[in-house]
Structure formats: C-alpha cells, structure tokens
Amino acid sequence: MNKNNADLYQISSAYDGLESPGYGARPDYFRERAFSGRPASRADRQILRWLLKAAGNPPVRFLLWNGEEVGDDAVTPVARIFLADRAALLRLAINPDLNFGDCYSSGRIEIDGHLVQFLETIYRASACLPAGSLKQRLMSRSGHARSNSLVGSRDNIHSHYDIGNEFYRLWLDEQMVYTCAYFGDASMTLEQAQVAKMDHVCRKLRLKPGETVVEAGCGWGSLARHMARHYGVKVRAYNISHEQVIYARERAKAEGLDGSVEYIEDDYRNIAGDFDAFVSVGMLEHVGVDHYPELGEVIHRCLKDSGRGLIHSIGRNRAKPMNAWIEKRIFPGAYPPTLAEMMQILEPQEFSVLDVENLRLHYARTLEHWLWRFEKASDRIMAMFDMDFVRAWRLYLAGSMAAFRASDMQLFQLVFALRNNNDVPWTRDHIYLWQGQPEA
Amino acid sequence: MNKNNADLYQISSAYDGLESPGYGARPDYFRERAFSGRPASRADRQILRWLLKAAGNPPVRFLLWNGEEVGDDAVTPVARIFLADRAALLRLAINPDLNFGDCYSSGRIEIDGHLVQFLETIYRASACLPAGSLKQRLMSRSGHARSNSLVGSRDNIHSHYDIGNEFYRLWLDEQMVYTCAYFGDASMTLEQAQVAKMDHVCRKLRLKPGETVVEAGCGWGSLARHMARHYGVKVRAYNISHEQVIYARERAKAEGLDGSVEYIEDDYRNIAGDFDAFVSVGMLEHVGVDHYPELGEVIHRCLKDSGRGLIHSIGRNRAKPMNAWIEKRIFPGAYPPTLAEMMQILEPQEFSVLDVENLRLHYARTLEHWLWRFEKASDRIMAMFDMDFVRAWRLYLAGSMAAFRASDMQLFQLVFALRNNNDVPWTRDHIYLWQGQPEA
C-alpha cells in the first residue's frame, strides 16, 4: 500500500482527542449525562431498526434519551447515535438526510464516538445498498437544488461566502484558499499544499510571461495573485461574492499586484475579452448542470485559438442528488457533476480534453487540516455566531472529509484546448519535470 | 510553440517525395497524362461547385478528365482532385464520404498534391461548417455501423485483423504493435516509442511482480509479453482474431513466456477470473456504445477490490457517425466514442476515474511512421493483394494521420479504480519519476 495513503488514511491523532461535545465526544459525556424521559415504545424501536436497515445496517447503535440502546447487539458499534428526545427520532424517520443534520446542529443528536469515523461507516454501508433501495429513494426525494440564474446565483453565493472573511481566516490557510490543496508529499503543511496546488494548475496551463488569463470564480483571489506574481501573466478574475472581491482587491493592492490583477464583481456569464487561458477552481459546483452549455459558450467565446482551459471541481462517480442538508443549510444550489455531465460544457464546442486528474484523497487531507483548525478556533467561532452554527459547520467539514474517503465524492482537474490547436504539450513531463518558467 | 510539436507538425521530408501515383503524385504525372473525353456540362460544373461549398470551400480544385479545371481561381490550391470520368463526378455527388474512398481506391480519383496535406485541408474546412450543414447531413446519412454481437464482432474483427500477419509485418514495428505509440521525445524511433507506450501503460497501472492482469483485445500479444517479461505479472489475454492468437502463442513460447502469458481465443464478454488489473488497448473502438454497460459489468466482475483498470481508445470530441468509407471498407463495426460515451462503461459500476490523457498527436506521429513503411513496401503489398488494396490502405493510413491532426480524432488513455479503493496513487509522480519496479 502506498505509504502516503497509509499515512493519510490514519485519522491524524492531531484532532482525534478533541473534546468538544459531539465531535468525537468523550464516553463520560454520556456516562455523566442524566438520562430521563419515558421509555421507548415498540413502535419507536421498530422505526430505529428500519432506519438502520435503510442505511445498509452500519455497525452503529442508537442511544436513547432514557439510556436505552437499540441496534444489533452482536456487532461492536463504531459509534452510538444519541437521540435527546422522541422528536429527534421522528424527524429522523421523516427525512433522515435533512433532519440528521438539523438535529445534530441543534444538539438533539450527539455522536458517541469519532464523528468522521462514524460518517465514513455510514457512507460505506449505504454504498452497498442496491439501486432503488429505501435509502436511495429517500435521498432522491430530497435533492432539489435551488436555481442558479443570475439572481439565484448571487443569493446562493452570498449565503455561503459572504458570512465574514474573519470567520474563514480562522481556519483557512494564510492565502485564504477555500479549495482542494495538492499535497505533493504527505508531509506538506496546508500552506505549502495550497501553493503547490496553485503551481500545479499553472503548470498544467503552461502559462507564459505576458499571457492573459481569465478566472471564473476567484474566491479571495489567491490564484490570480499567484499567477501574476510567479508566472508574469495578466489576470482578470470574476466573482459575485462582494466580501471576497473587496478582500481580493485590497490584498492585491497591498502586494503591489493591482497593475496585473483585476478583480471584477460580476457573473461568469458576463466575461468579456480574448484570453490565452481560462481557469476556474471550485466554481463549477455552483453553476448547475442546466447552465453547462452556456458556460461552454462563454469559455469558447473568450479563448484565443491557441488558448487552454482548466476546470477544477468536486465531482461524482455517478449522478445523484446533492445531500439535502448540505444543499439546504450549507451550499444552496450546489451540485457535484459526473465527468459525463462535465462534458456538456465541452462537447458542444468540440473542445479537446487533454488531461483529467482525480485529487479525491487530497481533498480529504485538505478537509482534515481545515477541521483541525476549525476545532481549535471553535470557541471564537461560537462567540461570532452560536453553538448551532459551530455544530453545523463541524458536521459539514467532517461529512465532506468522510465523503471524499468513503463515499463517491471526487475532485476532478480537467485541462482542455480548442479542437484544432496542435500546439498542445507533447507529454505531461512539463508538469512533473518542471524547470522554472518557459521563455515568453 | 512546443519544439516537439513544431517538429511533428512538419510533414517529414522522409516520405514527402514519394512518387507513387496518387500519393503526393508528381505534377508531371498529370502533365504527361493524355486528357480526353467530352467537355464537362454546365450541370457538371454546378455539381462540383456545390460539392466544394458542401465541404466548406477548401482551397482545392477539381481537374477533369478533359483537362478542364473547376474551382475558385482566386485561391492557390493545396491540391487538385483529378476525376478520371464523369461517373466519378456523379458518384461523388451521391455519397462523397463513401465514394471518394472507393473511387480513390480504384484510381478513378487521383490527388495532384500531397495526400495528407490535401486531407488535412478538407478536414479543416469542414470543421468550420455549422452544425446541420450539407456536409454534416451527408455524413450523418452514412454512419450506420455493423452489429458487434458475439458473431458480428467475430466477422468484423476477422475482416481486418485476419488478412495476414505477413502483411502487417511489412509496416508495423518488430513487436507488431498496431496501436498508438508514445513518443517520450520526438526523436524516438517507432520501435522505441511502442516500447515506451507499453511502459507508460504499465506505470499507470502500477503493476507489481506477482500480480495478475487480464487484457481484453491483445492484438499480436506484445503488451502481454512486455508486462510479463518486465513487470513480473501473470497475464491472461483475450482476442477473437485467430491469426493474431496463433502468432502471439508461438512468439510467447519462443521467448519462454508461455508460463506467464496465456492467450485465449475468446470474446471479452467471456472473461472469467479475479485480477489485480484490467487493461484494454485499442479494442474499445470495436465494442460499440450499446455494449459499453456490458463491458463495465465484465470489468467490475473480474477486478479485485484493490484492482485498477486502463482503457486506451481512439475517441472523439463530439459524437458523430464513423466515416462511411472507413466503416464499410476498413473497420466494419468500428466507432470512436466521446469521453461522455466512455463513461457509460464506468458510471453504472461507480468506478472512480483517476486519470485521462490525450495522446492525439502521438497517433499522428505513429501513423506517419506506418505510412512511410507502408509506402516503402507498396510493391510487395501490391504483389500480395492488388493496386486497389494498396490505394485503399494508403488512403486509410493517410486519412487517419490527417484526422488526428486536423479533424477531431483523439486518443484517450483512461485509468480507473473501484469506488472505495483508497490505495490509489497519491500523485502521478510514479509515471514520470519512474525508479524501476516497486517491491511486491
């Protein structure tokens, strides 16, 4: 087994012992707890067994408000799901995907055990479910994503990215990169891996000094600044998150890059100009499949004949609806596409796909770092928002980490060029045997 | 511009001066020719202009049986299309894609100019045609591929691959590899590049000594022998071409590899066993899209949980019918899929795509070598078959070379693993920073 993977696959002891309730909660948290309330009915127990069956019978048990346990006594549970009251039980039965998250956030559900390991266990069990099974029907019922029209996108993006740069600064790297990092080797720090990711992208695009780049969805602007500073290109970066654009402009100015990087607060659909390269890192998840052909037209319109493009996006092995809780509470309008769905961007314009790389495990490692920093800052985050917010984001980060390991979440980096461009790299040596900048 | 590409993109002087009629034919071949027959009618000229328009007005002219020329006098033509008689003109009008090939094969059509450059010019011009244009309607009319049922496949494969190992030996490399080579650098010989391709495939699969590999469609068995000899794996290779299997078995025995390589004359649908790796190089083109889910089931059935797979296939940027002449005369039942179509193999089984590489220009270079060797051996091939055969295969090789450069033909190498396998390469360094065999 690949050493790095082995290394990655161990949950780092780093945050393993964290004692925040609900996150790898201590057994004594439950031992000390005064259980109370009327005993569970036969119907209650049947519902809980039905829920376990619907989830593919994962090795977990329910711990009820009165201290009673429900589940397969034969197996040693990876974790116990504590239900604080009967309402939590019923909400779980009505819509598990949505209400597990809501009840966990409000503290009506606690996990006695390691949250990430628990979630991985759930994902692995449901992976074995046959298509059209109970769980899968439940999921497909709850996957209606919000619109990504010009106005819809602005609302969707605002609700996630505009909740405060101060908050993100507490647990992202110093460059404020909120996408999958590239751990060239497993010993890299998050800071190093985010820089390595930006270089990986620039090398794949074979950027040359003096070229022009358009970026669709630039976050806090780190990649645009990196390309301008280290690759000598001029960048025009689009973003509809007001808070992020303000931050990006100030930082570019402070770093003397405002002459070579222009941040535009506008929708990708309004990109105008003629560029050597198109790049989009972590925006496609917010575009929506029905807008992919439109995105393809935008890219085709703004690329020179010799132009190259790179799209970096979370993806799926097989098309299925977004988790209802994530879509509703964390990422309205978000959807991770399959490779086949991503082709709806490129095929109508007859782009040639040059390279696809899957960085799934790198995202698991990235989330591991974010979660560790998030937990360390949880008291300050609590002061900024409230306990429900902290628990919701803890679940989102832990659940994403588990999904990249044990579910079918992927991270695709896709490089493409115009159909008739024969000035494409002869091999991929330039990515791996990098010898500094090519001449202009 | 990438030096290698620049180097590649120059048609090698190597075979530029070849004087075989119809292949870069000498102008004096036409000057010396005694033109005869009645003059062309106004209707004839209108049909020819209509054909040029339907092809996107490429800079070429028609040279008629009576010495008359038709076409845009304002442009300098890349080549002239000589029509030996009126019948050729009419057949071209009825079904250009099919009848150009047939008339060229029979000598009723000659190209006054460089055949590859002429075909590239035609491809580039038609690339600019709007969807639903005349030419595209003509194409879509003629793209019905033959069945790839168990029996259908056997007939289709027999008609191409069983026409004689002696013939293929005249223009393939010493290892008899009939798929795209990998030119690690542009100076490689064909022999070196085919070995480099086999190593490229083995590295992508991270083969370890003692592992088992199943190969679907093994040609003359070169990859299976290479994997067994240099990577210490046991290979079971399937192929329905009788001639190829006989050759492969004899050669493996002569090289003392018959203990580690087993060649089975059977259809990929009958693959049985449990393997560490699945590999298929140049077979998918013959499977047919309607059989992709079936192929996916076969792969999923025969791979261990830790298994990896690699599919190497000619592809397209956008779905369209196979050229009617190639499908009818050269490759019955063949179809180059888009990446989205290839996902119909992998998505139902939820395979994770790890890596896609496009080797389009490597196939153009490979075909350049094959064509050069083919032309050198054309007299002997003529003696084996006849002039029509030589001209048909010349057109097929030259047309393929032109299509990889100027049309939308691609060469995809796709690596994948089972959904829940986390023992996948952490980066792609192992392909490019190769340090010999990994330990078992």
Side-chain angles (χ1 to χ4, degrees):
Chain A
M1 176 159 167
N2 180 315
K3 185 211 146 294
N4 289 337
N5 297 357
D7 176 273
L8 169 89
Y9 203 60
Q10 301 301 328
I11 302 240
S12 309
S13 57
Y15 62 82
D16 208 10
L18 281 177
E19 302 201 343
S20 49
Y23 183 71
R26 301 154 298 166
D28 59 1
Y29 169 82
F30 291 94
R31 271 198 297 279
E32 287 161 6
R33 189 180 176 102
F35 293 109
S36 66
R38 68 174 187 70
S41 69
R42 248 179 96 252
D44 294 338
R45 292 190 202 89
Q46 273 174 338
I47 290 171
L48 293 171
R49 292 208 182 79
W50 171 81
L51 278 168
L52 289 174
K53 183 160 177 288
N57 290 314
V60 300
R61 252 181 245 159
F62 285 104
L63 172 61
L64 305 191
W65 51 87
N66 62 339
E68 185 180 343
E69 286 198 27
V70 178
D72 186 347
D73 301 337
V75 296
T76 332
V78 169
R80 296 185 302 172
I81 308 164
F82 172 70
L83 304 178
D85 53 35
R86 193 151 183 280
L89 181 156
L90 295 176
R91 292 186 61 190
L92 214 48
I94 290 162
N95 188 341
D97 281 347
L98 179 61
N99 290 331
F100 176 85
D102 283 350
C103 291
Y104 180 86
S105 307
S106 65
R108 274 192 147 140
I109 289 181
E110 291 279 10
I111 298 305
D112 175 20
H114 194 291
L115 185 59
V116 176
Q117 285 171 333
F118 163 75
L119 292 164
E120 279 196 52
T121 305
I122 298 297
Y123 284 132
R124 286 190 199 289
S126 62
C128 308
L129 289 170
S133 67
L134 207 50
K135 162 83 174 170
Q136 301 206 344
R137 287 204 306 281
L138 285 167
M139 280 182 62
S140 58
R141 195 184 57 189
S142 52
H144 181 66
R146 293 194 222 165
S147 157
N148 286 296
S149 62
L150 281 168
V151 176
S153 292
R154 199 170 284 275
D155 298 343
N156 293 339
I157 294 307
H158 177 75
S159 72
H160 187 90
Y161 297 98
D162 288 348
I163 58 178
N165 296 339
E166 279 316 306
F167 163 63
Y168 286 104
R169 195 177 279 126
L170 288 173
W171 53 278
L172 291 179
D173 65 302
E174 184 277 327
Q175 287 281 323
M176 300 281 280
V177 187
Y178 189 24
T179 52
C180 174
Y182 180 73
F183 293 85
D185 64 78
S187 68
M188 279 185 173
T189 64
L190 179 61
E191 272 69 15
Q192 293 169 327
Q194 289 295 9
V195 170
K197 185 269 297 292
M198 293 191 276
D199 282 325
H200 203 53
V201 165
C202 294
R203 290 171 191 184
K204 285 183 173 182
L205 283 168
R206 289 197 310 156
L207 297 181
K208 299 180 205 68
E211 287 192 323
T212 56
V213 181
V214 63
E215 183 178 15
C218 64
W220 286 277
S222 54
L223 177 60
R225 291 190 299 275
H226 187 85
M227 292 191 290
R229 181 184 288 112
H230 299 291
Y231 294 80
V233 294
K234 279 204 175 296
V235 187
R236 186 180 287 174
Y238 286 71
N239 189 346
I240 55 175
S241 162
H242 182 69
E243 291 263 328
Q244 290 186 320
V245 169
I246 297 302
Y247 176 98
R249 283 180 185 153
E250 284 170 1
R251 188 154 178 176
K253 189 158 193 206
E255 296 174 9
L257 293 166
D258 47 334
S260 48
V261 183
E262 182 186 8
Y263 294 102
I264 298 172
E265 187 177 342
D266 200 353
D267 190 278
Y268 69 88
R269 282 161 279 211
N270 298 326
I271 287 174
D274 215 15
F275 303 90
D276 296 296
F278 170 94
V279 64
S280 179
V281 176
M283 182 193 80
L284 189 66
E285 301 88 328
H286 302 295
V287 168
V289 177
D290 46 340
H291 295 282
Y292 284 6
E294 201 176 352
L295 174 59
E297 286 166 24
V298 170
I299 299 170
H300 195 268
R301 195 181 65 214
C302 76
L303 273 185
K304 298 176 184 172
D305 292 348
S306 61
R308 302 84 65 191
L310 183 145
I311 294 175
H312 166 122
S313 174
I314 297 171
R316 274 263 169 83
N317 290 338
R318 186 174 190 166
K320 61 179 73 155
M322 183 77 168
N323 170 280
W325 181 76
I326 293 285
E327 204 285 318
K328 192 161 186 180
R329 306 290 185 223
I330 306 293
F331 277 121
Y335 176 80
T338 63
L339 268 181
E341 287 170 326
M342 289 175 79
M343 292 307 125
Q344 294 178 34
I345 306 168
L346 304 177
E347 279 191 21
Q349 309 298 330
E350 296 200 39
F351 282 113
S352 294
V353 174
L354 303 181
D355 182 4
V356 179
E357 183 175 18
N358 188 335
L359 298 174
R360 174 170 70 88
L361 293 175
H362 292 256
Y363 217 150
R365 167 56 65 94
T366 305
L367 281 150
E368 190 177 346
H369 281 279
W370 288 345
L371 189 52
W372 164 230
R373 293 167 184 227
F374 180 91
E375 289 301 336
K376 278 205 307 185
S378 55
D379 292 346
R380 293 175 61 186
I381 296 167
M382 188 113 56
M384 284 180 171
F385 302 91
D386 59 23
M387 185 57 169
D388 286 20
F389 179 92
V390 170
R391 292 175 61 84
W393 276 68
R394 169 181 295 144
L395 179 61
Y396 148 57
L397 292 171
S400 302
M401 180 172 160
F404 279 104
R405 280 171 162 160
S407 182
D408 73 336
M409 287 297 218
Q410 315 294 312
L411 192 289
F412 295 121
Q413 257 185 9
L414 198 149
V415 183
F416 55 94
L418 266 71
R419 165 191 165 145
N420 276 334
N421 177 10
N422 282 330
D423 182 19
V424 292
W426 188 231
T427 69
R428 298 190 298 205
D429 292 353
H430 64 282
I431 304 172
Y432 298 92
L433 310 174
W434 183 249
Q435 279 146 7
Q437 301 303 330
E439 309 90 57
Chain B
M1 178 160 167
N2 181 314
K3 184 209 148 296
N4 289 337
N5 297 357
D7 175 274
L8 169 90
Y9 205 62
Q10 300 303 325
I11 302 235
S12 309
S13 58
Y15 61 82
D16 207 12
L18 279 178
E19 301 200 346
S20 50
Y23 184 74
R26 299 155 301 166
D28 60 359
Y29 169 82
F30 291 92
R31 272 198 297 278
E32 288 159 5
R33 187 177 178 106
F35 294 109
S36 67
R38 66 175 188 72
S41 69
R42 249 180 94 252
D44 294 338
R45 293 190 201 89
Q46 272 172 339
I47 290 171
L48 293 171
R49 293 210 179 78
W50 172 81
L51 277 168
L52 290 173
K53 183 160 179 287
N57 290 314
V60 299
R61 254 182 242 159
F62 284 103
L63 172 61
L64 305 191
W65 52 87
N66 61 339
E68 185 182 345
E69 286 198 28
V70 178
D72 186 348
D73 301 337
V75 296
T76 332
V78 169
R80 296 184 302 172
I81 308 164
F82 172 69
L83 304 178
D85 53 33
R86 194 152 182 280
L89 181 156
L90 296 175
R91 292 186 60 191
L92 213 49
I94 291 161
N95 188 340
D97 281 347
L98 180 59
N99 290 331
F100 176 86
D102 283 351
C103 291
Y104 180 86
S105 307
S106 65
R108 271 192 149 140
I109 289 181
E110 291 280 10
I111 298 305
D112 175 20
H114 194 291
L115 184 59
V116 176
Q117 286 171 332
F118 163 74
L119 292 164
E120 280 196 52
T121 305
I122 297 297
Y123 283 132
R124 289 191 196 286
S126 63
C128 308
L129 289 170
S133 67
L134 207 50
K135 161 84 173 174
Q136 302 206 346
R137 286 204 306 282
L138 285 166
M139 282 181 61
S140 58
R141 195 183 59 189
S142 53
H144 181 67
R146 292 194 223 165
S147 155
N148 286 295
S149 62
L150 281 166
V151 176
S153 293
R154 200 170 283 276
D155 298 343
N156 292 338
I157 294 307
H158 176 74
S159 72
H160 187 90
Y161 297 96
D162 287 350
I163 59 178
N165 297 339
E166 278 317 307
F167 163 62
Y168 286 104
R169 195 178 280 125
L170 288 173
W171 53 278
L172 291 179
D173 65 303
E174 183 279 326
Q175 287 280 324
M176 300 281 280
V177 188
Y178 189 23
T179 51
C180 174
Y182 180 73
F183 293 85
D185 65 78
S187 68
M188 279 186 171
T189 65
L190 180 61
E191 272 70 14
Q192 292 169 328
Q194 288 295 7
V195 170
K197 186 267 299 293
M198 293 190 277
D199 282 324
H200 203 53
V201 166
C202 294
R203 292 172 190 183
K204 285 183 173 183
L205 283 169
R206 288 198 309 157
L207 297 181
K208 299 180 204 68
E211 288 193 321
T212 56
V213 180
V214 62
E215 183 179 15
C218 64
W220 287 278
S222 53
L223 177 60
R225 293 190 297 276
H226 187 85
M227 291 190 290
R229 181 186 288 111
H230 299 291
Y231 294 80
V233 294
K234 279 202 175 295
V235 186
R236 185 180 286 174
Y238 286 72
N239 188 346
I240 54 176
S241 160
H242 181 69
E243 291 263 327
Q244 291 185 320
V245 169
I246 297 302
Y247 177 98
R249 283 181 185 149
E250 284 170 1
R251 188 153 178 176
K253 190 158 192 207
E255 297 174 7
L257 293 166
D258 47 335
S260 47
V261 183
E262 183 186 7
Y263 294 101
I264 298 172
E265 187 177 344
D266 200 353
D267 191 279
Y268 69 89
R269 283 161 278 210
N270 299 325
I271 287 174
D274 215 17
F275 303 90
D276 297 296
F278 169 93
V279 64
S280 179
V281 176
M283 182 193 80
L284 189 65
E285 300 89 327
H286 302 295
V287 168
V289 177
D290 47 342
H291 295 283
Y292 285 4
E294 203 174 352
L295 174 58
E297 287 166 24
V298 169
I299 299 170
H300 195 267
R301 194 180 68 215
C302 75
L303 273 185
K304 298 176 183 172
D305 292 347
S306 61
R308 298 85 64 192
L310 183 146
I311 294 176
H312 166 123
S313 174
I314 296 171
R316 275 261 169 84
N317 289 341
R318 186 175 191 167
K320 61 179 72 154
M322 182 78 167
N323 170 281
W325 180 76
I326 293 284
E327 205 286 317
K328 192 162 186 181
R329 307 291 185 219
I330 306 293
F331 277 123
Y335 177 79
T338 63
L339 268 181
E341 287 170 325
M342 289 175 79
M343 293 307 125
Q344 294 177 35
I345 305 168
L346 303 177
E347 278 190 23
Q349 308 298 330
E350 297 199 39
F351 282 112
S352 295
V353 174
L354 303 180
D355 183 5
V356 180
E357 183 176 18
N358 188 336
L359 298 174
R360 175 171 69 90
L361 293 175
H362 293 255
Y363 217 151
R365 167 59 64 95
T366 305
L367 281 149
E368 190 178 347
H369 281 279
W370 288 346
L371 190 52
W372 165 230
R373 292 169 184 225
F374 180 90
E375 290 302 335
K376 278 204 308 184
S378 55
D379 292 346
R380 293 175 61 186
I381 297 168
M382 188 112 59
M384 283 180 172
F385 301 92
D386 59 21
M387 186 56 168
D388 286 19
F389 179 94
V390 170
R391 292 175 59 84
W393 276 69
R394 168 182 295 145
L395 179 61
Y396 149 56
L397 292 172
S400 302
M401 180 172 161
F404 280 103
R405 281 174 161 160
S407 181
D408 72 335
M409 287 296 217
Q410 315 294 313
L411 193 290
F412 295 121
Q413 256 185 10
L414 197 150
V415 183
F416 54 93
L418 268 69
R419 165 190 166 146
N420 276 335
N421 177 10
N422 282 331
D423 181 20
V424 291
W426 188 231
T427 69
R428 300 189 297 204
D429 292 353
H430 64 283
I431 304 172
Y432 297 91
L433 311 174
W434 184 247
Q435 279 147 8
Q437 301 302 332
E439 309 92 56

